[in-house]
DNA sequence: GTAGAGGTTGACGTTACGTCAAGGTCAAGG
DNA sequence: CCTTGACCTTGACGTAACGTCAACCTCTAC
């Protein structure tokens, strides 16, 4: 009154490999083993198997299933905690989808956001005079050479990063969180890290006055509408400036 | 003008192990390698890294990221197809959560569903006369012995499976799909597989008249209110009967 | 005897690294 | 010169749940 491994696999709608695996990890042992090593399963084993497969379809991991089957763990309790995990994953995916959509929108540049041509990823040829005046000749030379030596593709990528950062700033400013919130401070951290990628600026030079530089940049974003545009205008730039100042004072 | 592996990891908010991994798989090579094998990264490498990390945060896999960075794949296009995948996963989780909730409800027995005491997982002591009459003495003996030899826990599990199957049948019947739909036919398949777990019945005996047995069972579910109750009453049982008959004719 | 179906035990591949393990490199201090 | 300690290197295993060979054994049927 028992079945071979292939038979029971077919009956239960799974594969023999799965049954061997369950045997290996001790989740479901065959009810009988032939002298030749063949595995045979009887009725109760089939019941166990189908119970396993049912729980598996619900997304439980094999250790959790074993817990339910062979320890004193309540099935309903296990399913409830599993449900909680599923809900978290569900939320995480929703947030990630929102992020991806936001990024796509920003990269496509739907006109409403991003005055990309104005900011243009710190295009030093466009802002030469200001750059020299604000950060010195050496900084300009280093930054300019760096920018010129990038391939068109690298430049585009740089611009994309700038766009993404700007979009995230606007989203944060628009969501009503405070400049000293964890979210805004994390953006500030990203912002500073991004600045480190520009050679010649104090953030990229050992011993540079990063704090003063970052704080000053924030002021510039507010004062200069060409930069403010990248953060949703003056109100957005003000948010960025405040967040950056708080970050600089606390971390730089 | 470059950084050691630890420095750049700290700047970008990741770990040195990750950078070594990216080097291994060719996703991001260090801009320079010391005579001692030390890895060093410059500005453009940092830009690349941050771009990688940005895409990674959005959930893209490393191969997809490499595709975007080093092949002619459009970032927006990649993100769009990624978004599609995210949406599918999101839906899948939603369905799985519904399934889990359904199972929990059924197992807790909220009274509205499941006359579990009546069906009682083919309790052969309870239905002795009918079982003998309908399926013969041998079938009764085999089934009774099988049932008696189950531990209390195994019996409970068997009942749980019965409950789950019944709940799924009711859900299907209530959703308005046809008895010959893929969903209903899959339930029929599960139903027959479940029957195979009961020794002594034709489904479990080689050469048994499975087709006639399954079809007859379906009729019994409709005719006997004690069984019909498990499928949501007569209308539900009728759905089950029709689905089983179609399945039996096509597959048994 | 042999073909063919079905069984067995390894062992690698899958995602993106975390986590040792063993050992080389480098600057600072005794 | 030697040591200490921080930092670097290259393996290699582990993770979830099997799919997929590979090499070899077993049983039935013709």
């Amino acid at each position: 009154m028992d079945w071979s491994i292939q038979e029971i696999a077919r009956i239960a709608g799974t594969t023999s490999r799965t049954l061997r695996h369950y045997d290996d990890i001790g989740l479901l042992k065959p009810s009988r083993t032939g002298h030749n090593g063949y595995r045979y399963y009887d009725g109760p084993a089939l019941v166990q198997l189908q119970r396993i497969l049912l729980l598996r379809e619900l997304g439980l991991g094999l250790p959790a299933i074993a817990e339910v089957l062979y320890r004193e763990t309540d099935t309903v309790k296990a399913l409830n905690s599993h449900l909680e995990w599923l809900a978290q994953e569900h939320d995480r995916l929703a947030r990630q989808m929102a992020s991806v959509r936001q990024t796509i929108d920003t990269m496509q540049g739907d006109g409403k956001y991003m005055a990309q041509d104005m900011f243009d990823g710190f295009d030093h040829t466009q802002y030469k005079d200001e750059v020299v005046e604000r950060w010195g000749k050496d900084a300009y030379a280093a930054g300019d050479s760096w920018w010129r030596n990038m391939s068109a593709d690298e430049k585009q990528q740089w611009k994309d990063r700038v766009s993404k950062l700007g979009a995230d700033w606007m989203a944060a400013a628009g969501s009503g969180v405070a400049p000293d919130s964890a979210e805004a401070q994390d953006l500030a951290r990203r912002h500073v890290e991004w600045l480190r990628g520009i050679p010649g600026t104090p953030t990229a030079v050992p011993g540079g006055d990063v704090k003063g530089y970052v704080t000053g940049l924030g002021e510039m974003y507010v004062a200069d509408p060409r930069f403010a545009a990248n953060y949703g205008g003056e109100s957005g730039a003000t948010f960025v400036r405040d967040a950056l100042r708080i970050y600089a004072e606390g971390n730089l």
Side-chain angles (χ1 to χ4, degrees), chain A:
Chain A
M1 207 49 135
D2 46 14
W3 303 279
S4 74
I5 195 168
Q6 295 281 12
E7 286 167 350
I8 202 154
R10 193 169 29 74
I11 291 174
T14 184
T15 69
S16 57
R17 177 66 178 90
T18 297
L19 290 168
R20 273 190 284 274
H21 183 57
Y22 290 169
D23 187 8
D24 286 347
I25 64 174
L27 182 56
L28 182 68
K29 297 285 184 189
S31 55
R32 184 169 70 79
T33 303
H35 66 287
N36 45 17
Y38 284 24
R39 294 171 175 82
Y40 297 98
Y41 298 83
D42 59 9
L46 176 56
V47 172
Q48 281 288 66
L49 174 57
Q50 290 182 312
R51 190 167 161 76
I52 289 170
L53 295 178
L54 188 153
L55 293 173
R56 193 188 61 169
E57 275 179 32
L58 296 177
L60 269 82
L62 301 191
I65 294 177
E67 192 86 7
V68 168
L69 290 181
Y70 305 113
R71 327 268 289 220
E72 334 81 27
T73 306
D74 184 12
T75 304
V76 172
K77 216 166 96 180
L79 285 180
N80 269 316
S81 73
H82 178 53
L83 191 55
E84 214 170 306
W85 149 262
L86 284 175
Q88 283 180 18
E89 277 298 291
H90 195 248
D91 282 3
R92 197 180 58 79
L93 282 184
R95 284 197 305 275
Q96 205 165 60
M97 286 168 68
S99 267
V100 172
R101 284 204 194 87
Q102 170 88 349
T103 305
I104 290 174
D105 283 354
T106 302
M107 284 184 173
Q108 283 181 332
D110 60 352
K112 190 174 62 180
Y113 291 106
M114 290 290 98
Q116 188 162 321
D117 288 343
M118 285 194 73
F119 195 67
D120 209 15
F122 268 78
D123 183 339
H124 291 71
T125 60
Q126 193 174 345
Y127 294 119
K128 178 174 175 179
D129 290 348
E130 283 100 340
V131 171
V132 172
E133 184 189 345
R134 290 180 214 245
W135 302 321
K137 234 181 198 166
D138 290 348
Y140 172 74
D144 186 53
S145 139
W146 161 76
W147 180 256
R148 286 182 183 285
N149 284 329
M150 284 172 92
S151 69
D153 193 42
E154 286 174 330
K155 285 184 184 176
Q156 186 54 49
Q157 294 175 189
W158 180 262
K159 289 182 188 178
D160 288 346
R161 284 209 317 132
V162 172
S163 298
K164 177 66 164 54
L165 186 57
D168 287 351
W169 272 119
M170 280 189 277
S175 76
V177 301
D180 62 351
S181 66
E183 189 183 346
Q185 287 301 297
D186 191 59
L187 276 171
R189 185 186 55 75
R190 272 179 58 195
H191 199 101
V192 171
E193 282 159 6
W194 164 66
L195 290 172
R196 289 188 200 278
I198 308 173
T201 58
T203 37
V205 175
D209 177 16
V210 183
K211 186 171 171 180
Y213 171 64
V214 169
T215 309
L217 263 188
E219 297 297 345
M220 191 186 77
Y221 292 159
V222 175
D224 189 329
R226 293 173 306 178
F227 288 98
N230 295 286
Y231 305 103
E234 198 181 328
S235 67
T238 304
F239 177 82
V240 176
R241 179 198 63 186
D242 293 345
L244 283 178
R245 192 182 48 227
I246 293 164
Y247 180 79
E249 284 169 359
N251 303 83
L252 301 176

